[in-house]
Amino acid sequence: MSAHEPLIVSAPATASWPGLGTWNLYFLLKFLLIGLGLLNFQPLPNLVFAACLVVPLPGRALRIARQLIAIPVGIALLYHDTWLPPFERLLAQPGVLDFTPAYLLDLAGRFVDWKLIGLCTLLVIAYSYVASWVRLSVFCLGGLLWLNLSSTALWAYTPSLAASPASPAQGISATAATNSQGNDSLALDNWLENFFKAEAARQTQFPPPSPQSAAFDVIVLNVCSLAWDDLDAVGLRDNALLQRMDVVFDRFNSATSYSGPAAIRLLRASCGQPRHQALYEPAPEQCMLFQNLANLGFRSETLMNHNGRFDGFADEISAQGMPQPALSGQRFPRSLAGFDGSPIARDLDVLSGWWKQRQQQPDERVSLFYNSISLHDGNRIVGADGKAQSAEYRPRAQRLLDDISNFIDELERSGKPVALLLVPEHGAALHGDRMQIAGMREIPRPSITQVPVGLKLIGMTAAGSGQALHVQQPSSFLALSELVSRLYAAQREGNQLDINALIADLPRTEPVSETAAAQVIEHDGKPYVRLGGQTVWLPYPNRFE
């Protein structure tokens, strides 16, 4: 080197910050889904994920490794951002593996939204066009940061909802909590806690056995997949069966959207509404509706038009102290092929067969719990050739309603006094919405849990009969237990029943519904949902918006 040659010192190379690259499309698609209300978007995890993608890494091998790790993380994060149940919920339901291939294919097809696919296709085309001359990473990162800041600002200040001084047992309404700027999760938590505390203190007081009480039977028809919303959807709301009922509950809440929990809640109807997890703990004897009837001289019986094996349903019924089915559904002709391939008998066949057997028994009083899955999603009608073919909900619903109506005719011809209660488990979820596809019931929204409950008095002299009386206040299973208790107390030899007195001031229960995956309550006349594992209550999106 020459003495006159300048000394050049090279500066250390600095790593450049990469953009998001193709991951821009991932986040743009999420922004589209957010705009359509199809995501339960979690801003912070997405911002952290994006930040990890743009951190500079030395060496090509590390950058390739990051992309390989990012793919499954991105898929898991997308699933986490949807309204779909947590993955562990799927693992906790091995019964799904029993679905027939045809039913699984049908369910998969319901996830296909051609309008959404079209919008996503347009977005991909637009991305391909502008990605080469617009730095989309700045837009995506800015959008994620804005969503994080707006989410923080939304929950940093929420005016406190005033706690209602009224007790839920006395008809507390969520409208006592008013907040024009949004839902205060803490206040809703407090309201829900007070609700369950008040419910725990409620109980039906059954009268002691009386020799003056006339002998009659109690038949409870627990029907799967029948809600007011379903009847509206297929034009059967004003059906002949409900019109011939003596009492109809307009706002009865089944409190859940699955069969097992619904049946347990019905069998434990004599106490206030318990939490979902309490359903699988032993209950006091005074909570058991059929045990209370047994104390009054009613012999309990169980009946189903299916084998009860799916999801351990029959075992759950037996765990509530109910006897094994009086008749096996397998002895009747196969009317339907179940969603799991099992045979399902026609309701009229099973009920008529049981009634013939009942008339030969000497018992003065019998209480029957009958469970039907004729309307369950995925069932197929068996034709004259013995082959199963798909059937829409409406013809199956019409046949069920007709079968029950014909069974009532049969009861009336016998002349024996019977109190028949129609108590659906939950709805069929014929409509999908932003949170759930059609047929999915992980989230117990009101359109699934608001079910048509009715009482028909047969062979009993009742004042005001001939036109159904409607119970319009929010009600649930405790009201049914109270109604049965009053009926026994009022049923005296030769006395005329006063139906108005039977339904006067029945216990009111605010709409609170639960599954293992979600809770839904009503606040200010609107439903709010909290998903399992989350602390925030969200307004339930209207499917028509």
Side-chain angles (χ1 to χ4, degrees):
M1 177 183 294
S2 167
H4 301 286
E5 190 172 342
L7 179 64
I8 300 175
V9 180
S10 59
T14 59
S16 61
W17 286 76
L20 288 170
T22 309
W23 287 103
N24 281 307
L25 180 59
Y26 172 85
F27 289 108
L28 289 172
L29 288 170
K30 279 195 171 182
F31 293 159
L32 172 64
L33 296 177
I34 293 170
L36 297 174
L38 297 176
L39 285 187
N40 180 25
F41 188 72
Q42 308 297 309
L44 183 58
N46 280 274
L47 184 60
V48 172
F49 179 56
C52 291
L53 291 172
V54 299
V55 170
L57 293 176
R60 184 169 179 268
L62 285 178
R63 292 192 292 271
I64 293 176
R66 175 169 59 185
Q67 293 299 323
L68 293 176
I69 295 173
I71 291 173
V73 172
I75 294 173
L77 185 57
L78 176 61
Y79 187 91
H80 179 67
D81 282 337
T82 68
W83 297 108
L84 295 172
F87 193 70
E88 56 266 24
R89 280 286 297 155
L90 299 180
L91 298 178
Q93 299 189 60
V96 174
L97 301 177
D98 294 329
F99 290 170
T100 62
Y103 184 41
L104 288 172
L105 183 62
D106 178 38
L107 290 175
R110 299 180 194 180
F111 284 95
V112 178
D113 184 334
W114 293 109
K115 178 181 177 181
L116 178 60
I117 290 175
L119 291 174
C120 289
T121 301
L122 291 176
L123 180 61
V124 171
I125 294 173
Y127 166 80
S128 302
Y129 177 71
V130 303
S132 59
W133 53 277
V134 175
R135 191 167 176 80
L136 293 174
S137 296
V138 175
F139 173 80
C140 290
L141 290 171
L144 290 171
L145 184 61
W146 179 81
L147 287 171
N148 272 271
L149 293 176
S150 62
S151 174
T152 303
L154 175 63
W155 295 107
Y157 173 72
T158 51
S160 296
L161 300 180
S164 171
S167 163
Q170 300 300 321
I172 180 174
S173 171
T175 57
T178 56
N179 178 9
S180 61
Q181 303 210 8
N183 169 35
D184 186 334
S185 291
L186 179 60
L188 290 177
D189 286 344
N190 292 335
W191 180 86
L192 186 60
E193 185 67 26
N194 291 333
F195 170 84
F196 283 122
K197 286 181 179 178
E199 289 296 302
R202 298 214 285 175
Q203 178 184 331
T204 301
Q205 298 298 326
F206 278 81
S210 171
Q212 283 91 27
S213 181
F216 66 99
D217 288 349
V218 174
I219 297 177
V220 180
L221 305 182
N222 195 215
V223 176
C224 176
S225 302
L226 182 66
W228 286 114
D229 188 73
D230 303 323
L231 293 175
D232 286 334
V234 297
L236 290 176
R237 187 182 185 92
D238 298 323
N239 60 82
L241 175 63
L242 291 180
Q243 289 179 358
R244 70 185 298 186
M245 290 287 174
D246 293 298
V247 177
V248 174
F249 288 79
D250 294 334
R251 297 187 62 194
F252 189 96
N253 183 42
S254 68
T256 186
S257 52
Y258 280 129
S259 298
I264 295 174
R265 290 187 182 279
L266 172 56
L267 295 173
R268 298 184 179 187
S270 297
C271 286
Q273 182 171 324
R275 298 178 185 273
H276 175 78
Q277 58 266 32
L279 298 178
Y280 301 96
E281 301 170 359
E285 183 178 302
Q286 60 267 27
C287 295
M288 314 305 291
L289 174 60
F290 281 78
Q291 181 57 52
N292 286 318
L293 287 172
N295 295 338
L296 297 177
F298 290 81
R299 181 172 58 80
S300 301
E301 288 199 0
T302 304
L303 189 65
M304 295 183 288
N305 72 335
H306 54 103
N307 58 30
R309 295 171 188 166
F310 181 78
D311 218 15
F313 182 82
D315 294 335
E316 290 185 342
I317 299 304
S318 298
Q320 309 307 311
M322 296 299 293
Q324 292 297 312
L327 296 174
S328 171
Q330 311 299 320
R331 62 178 287 183
F332 299 100
R334 187 178 67 144
S335 175
L336 296 163
F339 54 94
D340 59 347
S342 63
I344 302 173
R346 182 164 181 169
D347 294 283
L348 184 59
D349 290 343
V350 180
L351 290 170
S352 294
W354 173 82
W355 185 243
K356 289 182 176 66
Q357 177 177 287
R358 164 67 186 111
Q359 290 179 293
Q360 298 173 2
Q361 297 168 344
D363 304 85
E364 287 189 340
R365 301 179 181 88
V366 168
S367 58
L368 173 70
F369 172 82
Y370 172 71
N371 184 263
S372 167
I373 63 168
S374 297
L375 299 184
H376 196 288
D377 190 38
N379 289 348
R380 294 169 296 157
I381 289 182
V382 176
D385 58 357
K387 296 181 179 180
Q389 54 190 358
S390 61
E392 297 294 331
Y393 180 86
R394 192 185 194 284
R396 290 187 288 125
Q398 185 65 69
R399 185 166 75 169
L400 171 70
L401 297 172
D402 290 343
D403 280 357
I404 296 176
S405 189
N406 290 332
F407 179 57
I408 291 176
D409 292 338
E410 190 172 339
L411 296 176
E412 290 178 334
R413 287 193 296 269
S414 73
K416 182 171 177 58
V418 176
L420 182 141
L421 282 162
L422 172 66
V423 189
E425 298 174 348
H426 52 73
L430 294 181
H431 289 295
D433 60 23
R434 295 180 180 181
M435 299 182 75
Q436 299 184 116
I437 62 170
M440 190 173 183
R441 294 178 276 108
E442 278 289 292
I443 302 174
R445 65 178 188 252
S447 60
I448 299 175
T449 62
Q450 296 293 313
V451 295
V453 170
L455 167 68
K456 177 63 178 178
L457 300 175
I458 301 162
M460 303 181 187
T461 306
S465 60
Q467 185 175 3
L469 298 179
H470 289 257
V471 179
Q472 298 180 338
Q473 67 183 19
S475 307
S476 197
F477 297 103
L478 189 65
L480 291 184
S481 177
E482 179 67 24
L483 184 59
V484 172
S485 173
R486 292 181 184 181
L487 182 60
Y488 176 84
Q491 181 71 347
R492 296 288 187 265
E493 293 288 355
N495 287 1
Q496 187 179 59
L497 288 173
D498 185 348
I499 300 179
N500 286 286
L502 287 177
I503 65 174
D505 299 321
L506 285 173
R508 175 189 177 105
T509 304
E510 293 301 317
V512 172
S513 303
E514 295 181 283
T515 64
Q519 293 175 305
V520 176
I521 65 174
E522 190 172 294
H523 164 229
D524 199 18
K526 299 178 181 179
Y528 286 83
V529 59
R530 178 169 62 185
L531 302 181
Q534 298 187 7
T535 59
V536 175
W537 289 93
L538 301 171
Y540 198 101
N542 189 321
R543 69 171 182 266
F544 298 116
E545 291 178 351

